[in-house]
Amino acid sequence: MINPDKRKKQLAAFDQLLTIMDELREKCPWDKKQTIESLRHLTIEETFELSDAILDNDLEEISKELGDILLHIVFYARIGDEKGAFDIAKVIEQLNEKLIRRHPHIYGDTNVEDEEEVKQNWEKIKLKEKGNTSVLGGVPKSLPALIKAMRIQEKARGVGFDWEEKHQVWEKVEEELAEFRENFDATNEQPVNKEEATKEFGDLMFSLINYSRFIGVNPEDALERTNRKFIFRFQYLEKEAKSSGKTLSEMSLEEMDAYWEAAKSKE
């Protein structure tokens, strides 16, 4: 149920933001100079800052970072208005229309059993809208490879191209791992064919990402959490080494491992 007073407050805040954006664009030397192109890298940075806040589960910081991204959206819309191309109303209207169109189970007479059918309908409708000749045509080329692999797999699943059971996916992981190990066994002293190793390692990673999807684990989040865990432990190691009057290069692996284990207990 919509709270009228709360909605009124929300609309008033958005109206004030639009007014501030107009004033900044007209009066601030920095804001006046910005273009859609100059804002692009800043928007990417803000998106990663939001991602950091989400991984930290810092709700206050998430709120602030969402504000920064909203500012960018309003900024782009203001520039679009100046060019006579679009304004914030058109941006929102297009979004509203798309959400209604892609949720026929809410705004139409389509019946769905679960979220999986919702996703499948979404992909089918999106394919018609964009006129793509391929389901994968909507995957941005510049996405990082790990995220791109996940999105490719999700879109293929959206039209029914996927494994049926997770054990089948795990068997594929084991198959790819066996192929990689057979060709690039660590005990083999022969030089590694890097081109072939790259292909096989890519296959192994793709299958692992596929399995993570089947068990509900986001591989990007999982890897970033491991990155952060390693950074914490390594920086603890550096700090303790410095406290003992040594540099890491002066320490044995056994000494470093002791600090590493101590860092694990402090997580």
Side-chain angles (χ1 to χ4, degrees):
M1 180 68 69
I2 296 174
N3 183 320
D5 292 333
K6 188 173 184 179
R7 179 55 54 86
K8 184 177 180 180
K9 182 179 178 182
Q10 291 169 339
L11 293 174
F14 191 63
D15 180 69
Q16 184 182 22
L17 173 60
L18 293 177
T19 300
I20 292 172
M21 185 72 256
D22 289 340
E23 292 172 345
L24 293 178
R25 189 64 176 170
E26 293 167 6
K27 301 176 183 179
C28 175
W30 185 87
D31 289 282
K32 287 167 69 173
K33 287 183 62 177
Q34 299 315 303
T35 65
I36 287 177
E37 292 74 20
S38 70
L39 289 174
R40 175 181 170 273
H41 73 282
L42 297 175
T43 306
I44 294 172
E45 182 179 337
E46 294 294 354
T47 303
F48 278 110
E49 289 180 1
L50 172 62
S51 177
D52 285 346
I54 291 172
L55 286 173
D56 291 338
N57 195 29
D58 187 337
L59 296 182
E60 181 62 28
E61 196 63 25
I62 289 172
S63 177
K64 293 177 182 177
E65 296 301 339
L66 285 173
D68 291 341
I69 290 178
L70 180 57
L71 169 62
H72 280 239
I73 293 170
V74 170
F75 211 149
Y76 286 121
R78 165 66 197 223
I79 296 173
D81 194 11
E82 293 168 5
K83 294 177 176 292
F86 58 87
D87 63 3
I88 192 64
K90 182 175 182 180
V91 170
I92 296 173
E93 287 166 359
Q94 288 175 324
L95 174 60
N96 292 342
E97 291 169 1
K98 179 170 69 176
L99 290 173
I100 291 171
R101 192 168 57 248
R102 294 189 186 177
H103 289 81
H105 55 290
I106 302 296
Y107 302 104
D109 55 8
T110 300
N111 295 317
V112 295
E113 292 294 327
D114 50 32
E115 65 170 310
E116 193 59 41
E117 282 194 40
V118 173
K119 290 163 67 175
Q120 290 177 3
N121 284 339
W122 179 283
E123 291 299 338
K124 291 174 183 176
I125 295 169
K126 185 175 181 180
L127 194 61
K128 292 179 181 178
E129 288 174 354
K130 292 182 173 291
N132 290 330
T133 57
S134 170
V135 170
L136 305 182
V139 179
K141 295 178 181 178
S142 58
L143 272 181
L146 192 150
I147 298 175
K148 184 187 289 186
M150 185 170 62
R151 293 297 293 135
I152 286 171
Q153 294 167 3
E154 289 173 345
K155 285 186 174 292
R157 181 176 179 81
V159 293
F161 185 79
D162 204 0
W163 301 93
E164 294 180 350
E165 303 291 341
K166 68 178 182 181
H167 73 83
Q168 297 172 312
V169 189
W170 182 248
E171 288 168 2
K172 184 63 176 176
V173 172
E174 292 182 319
E175 176 188 325
E176 295 294 351
L177 180 59
E179 287 182 12
F180 190 81
R181 185 173 184 175
E182 180 181 350
N183 290 289
F184 310 104
D185 195 303
T187 61
N188 190 336
E189 298 300 326
Q190 298 298 316
V192 171
N193 182 322
K194 291 187 178 180
E195 180 65 24
E196 288 302 313
T198 299
K199 291 179 182 178
E200 293 292 345
F201 191 70
D203 291 344
L204 175 58
M205 287 189 67
F206 193 84
S207 61
L208 276 170
I209 292 168
N210 212 1
Y211 187 73
S212 74
R213 181 174 56 83
F214 258 76
I215 62 174
V217 172
N218 184 302
E220 172 69 18
D221 290 349
L223 182 58
E224 178 56 20
R225 290 178 189 275
T226 297
N227 289 341
R228 289 177 171 223
K229 181 168 60 180
F230 185 92
I231 290 170
F232 172 81
R233 294 176 184 177
F234 192 82
Q235 290 180 338
Y236 177 87
L237 168 61
E238 290 178 314
K239 179 172 68 71
E240 293 302 311
K242 185 176 181 181
S243 296
S244 66
K246 293 184 177 180
T247 64
L248 294 185
S249 59
E250 295 172 333
M251 298 175 68
S252 67
L253 282 175
E254 289 76 13
E255 289 176 305
M256 288 191 280
D257 189 57
Y259 285 127
W260 186 268
E261 291 300 319
K264 290 168 64 175
S265 67
K266 295 181 177 296
E267 291 173 355

